[in-house]
Amino acid sequence: MSHAPDSCSLITGRPDVGVAGLRSLVGMLGGVADPRMARGVRHRIGAVLAVMVLAVLAGARNFREIADRAVELPPELLALAGCRVHSLTGGHMVPSAATMRRIAHEVDADDADERVCMWLRGEAMATANTDEVHGEPPRRLVAVAMDGKTLRNTGRPGTEGGEIKLFSALTHREAIVIAQVRIPEGTNEITQVKALLAGVDLAGVVVTGDAAHAQHTTAAYLTSERGGHYALTVKGNQLTLLGGIAAVLPAAAPGTEHHVTEDHGKGRIVRRGIWTAPAEGIDFPGAAQVFRIRRDVFDHLGNRLTKEIVHGVTSLTAETATPEQLARLVREHWTVENKSHWVRDVVYREDHQHAHRHRSPGHGHPTQPRTWPPTPGRDHPHHPHPATHRRRPNPNPAHHRSRYQHKPTLKFPWPSPPPNRSGEADPAGTQVSLRMLDLVDSLRVGGECR
């Protein structure tokens, strides 16, 4: 987001491939449902959302910074975003901070999320089908990682465990979220695989997941129903499957690996070895290979610090995926943590944003109330000034007493008159505290008050 002219700027007049992408982005955002009334709208919904996206890319982290960055955007970008042109000055007008905040709060985020993921999915798949990476043919397997994330500070006041949970699918290479759904309350991400990947073309796509997704229903859906592939790790949640995989594979002895990699950095040496074997006798839908990965971490002197062994199963055959490719798929699955969850938490500080304190972040609905709980009316018993407690004017002003003539009466919490010193009810009905009488008695000297 530099203001300096370069070879990719519209100022020089040279063609820029980014212009078509920006126009496509603005056109996609223009299809989002506008929550405002048609009367009085000055800025189109696509222009407002596009300016907000550009401001965030320029470093804005809140609505105030978004408004400041929007004013500083170059006029070429404002023109591509579709901003209005001032009738007198001829310059482009940017939406105000109040307008952008209101739209961000009231827009149907489910619709916007679906449109954005669909647009990103088309861009990512087009890139995967045309680019050549490491000498591979243009049509290659596209790796997609699926994982869930909990958004903090999104629960309603007074509730526990009610935070919003999102389930997303991200491409390994481009690190682009191509699908995302909200996990309903009372369930988990395992039940949302079909909803997540319903709009994704899984032909030539291998889906990676952690041990929680090593389910028979998930594997059958990916291979039999959708024609895709999977590479899943297996742990103690599937003891029968884990035992079958361990029985097929050879022992994890150093020096017998089918592929080994070593990484040196941060004062450590990480050695990763993988063993593969055909999935013979493995009762798992579409299983073609099983694998075992051993990770040994050493310090710079060669002393072992940790050792970890992970098992897994995949529908990719030995001709389709070599041991090196399987090891890369398992390792790159954590791209969803490093390039998506970490960026949202640390860079964009998503868990620290309180703009959605009264509304669900990214998954609200325009028909929902903007505040929670709703403000009680004057007839509500907890209203600070209820209608039943309003002061009414004195119908007889002549008998109105000044506030200086008013003598307050000490009252007991119980409704009946208190007993007097003899234990009988006070016939006069005077509600004077017994503690006050004791105080008066203590001040008397020789029958007279001091």
Side-chain angles (χ1 to χ4, degrees):
M1 301 300 297
S2 174
H3 292 203
D6 56 8
S7 59
C8 296
S9 175
L10 296 178
I11 301 177
T12 59
R14 300 180 183 179
D16 180 15
V17 294
V19 173
L22 182 56
R23 289 175 178 171
S24 176
L25 173 64
V26 175
M28 179 270 300
L29 295 176
V32 177
D34 196 339
R36 302 169 296 176
M37 298 179 62
R39 181 179 180 182
V41 173
R42 302 181 61 192
H43 302 277
R44 292 175 293 181
I45 184 69
V48 177
L49 295 178
V51 169
M52 294 177 66
V53 171
L54 295 176
V56 171
L57 293 177
R61 295 296 177 266
N62 50 56
F63 290 107
R64 179 184 57 81
E65 294 182 0
I66 288 176
D68 295 340
R69 299 295 186 276
V71 176
E72 299 174 354
L73 291 176
E76 291 81 10
L77 289 180
L78 296 178
L80 289 175
C83 293
R84 298 174 62 248
V85 178
H86 198 279
S87 58
L88 298 179
T89 62
H92 292 85
M93 303 174 59
V94 298
S96 63
T99 299
M100 291 186 286
R101 180 189 294 271
R102 183 169 59 254
I103 290 180
H105 283 180
E106 298 181 356
V107 72
D108 187 356
D110 289 330
D111 178 47
D113 199 358
E114 182 179 358
R115 290 178 178 273
V116 171
C117 290
M118 186 182 301
W119 181 75
L120 291 175
R121 182 164 60 246
E123 297 290 330
M125 295 305 176
T127 303
N129 294 337
T130 56
D131 293 350
E132 295 185 5
V133 180
H134 303 297
E136 298 180 2
R139 185 61 184 177
R140 58 186 176 85
L141 287 175
V142 178
V144 175
M146 55 181 183
D147 194 22
K149 180 182 184 298
T150 300
L151 302 183
R152 304 302 177 185
N153 299 322
T154 57
R156 292 180 176 178
T159 60
E160 295 182 0
E163 291 86 2
I164 301 299
K165 297 180 179 63
L166 300 180
F167 189 34
S168 57
L170 177 136
T171 58
H172 285 198
R173 181 195 169 198
E174 296 83 7
I176 295 177
V177 177
I178 61 175
Q180 182 174 264
V181 296
R182 175 178 174 178
I183 302 176
E185 297 182 4
T187 183
N188 51 36
E189 61 187 60
I190 299 176
T191 62
Q192 303 302 311
V193 175
K194 294 183 179 181
L196 176 68
L197 303 177
V200 181
D201 184 11
L202 297 183
V205 175
V206 53
V207 179
T208 61
D210 53 19
H213 294 285
Q215 307 290 331
H216 287 71
T217 56
T218 301
Y221 171 75
L222 294 176
T223 55
S224 302
E225 299 183 24
R226 301 299 308 279
H229 299 280
Y230 62 83
L232 306 172
T233 56
V234 180
K235 293 184 179 180
N237 59 331
Q238 296 286 348
L239 291 178
T240 304
L241 178 61
L242 180 61
I245 294 174
V248 172
L249 289 167
T256 62
E257 305 92 342
H258 296 149
H259 177 72
V260 180
T261 59
E262 285 190 3
D263 294 334
H264 299 257
K266 299 181 180 180
R268 302 183 307 173
I269 302 174
V270 182
R271 187 176 186 271
R272 300 179 178 88
I274 184 173
W275 293 261
T276 61
E280 298 178 357
I282 302 299
D283 185 15
F284 199 73
Q289 291 188 91
V290 294
F291 57 88
R292 175 188 289 129
I293 297 177
R294 173 174 174 173
R295 306 185 186 101
D296 295 289
V297 180
F298 305 89
D299 59 11
H300 64 285
L301 298 178
N303 301 317
R304 180 186 285 110
L305 301 178
T306 60
K307 181 183 72 172
E308 182 182 10
I309 296 179
V310 178
H311 296 83
V313 60
T314 179
S315 61
L316 299 173
T317 61
E319 294 76 14
T320 306
T322 63
E324 179 182 359
Q325 292 174 331
L326 287 179
R328 186 168 64 248
L329 283 175
V330 175
R331 185 178 180 184
E332 290 181 351
H333 167 73
W334 301 110
T335 302
V336 67
E337 293 284 350
N338 301 332
K339 297 184 179 181
S340 177
H341 296 175
W342 186 89
V343 172
R344 296 171 67 169
D345 291 341
V346 179
V347 178
Y348 293 106
R349 298 177 60 85
E350 185 178 60
D351 290 345
H352 299 274
Q353 297 294 337
H354 295 273
H356 49 255
R357 185 165 59 94
H358 298 304
R359 288 174 55 84
S360 298
H363 289 277
H365 196 274
T367 60
Q368 295 178 353
R370 296 189 60 182
T371 59
W372 182 264
T375 304
R378 294 188 66 86
D379 295 332
H380 196 277
H382 299 293
H383 194 278
H385 302 288
T388 57
H389 292 172
R390 285 181 293 181
R391 299 185 61 182
R392 294 174 174 82
N394 194 337
N396 191 357
H399 294 82
H400 174 70
R401 295 189 303 176
S402 172
R403 61 191 180 103
Y404 299 102
Q405 299 174 359
H406 177 65
K407 297 180 181 180
T409 304
L410 299 177
K411 298 183 179 181
F412 284 89
W414 54 80
S416 60
N420 54 16
R421 289 179 179 275
S422 62
E424 301 177 357
D426 192 351
T430 58
Q431 299 178 358
V432 182
S433 174
L434 296 178
R435 296 182 58 189
M436 292 298 297
L437 296 178
D438 295 337
L439 179 61
V440 172
D441 291 343
S442 64
L443 297 177
R444 292 180 182 276
V445 179
E448 295 180 359
C449 184
R450 290 184 179 180

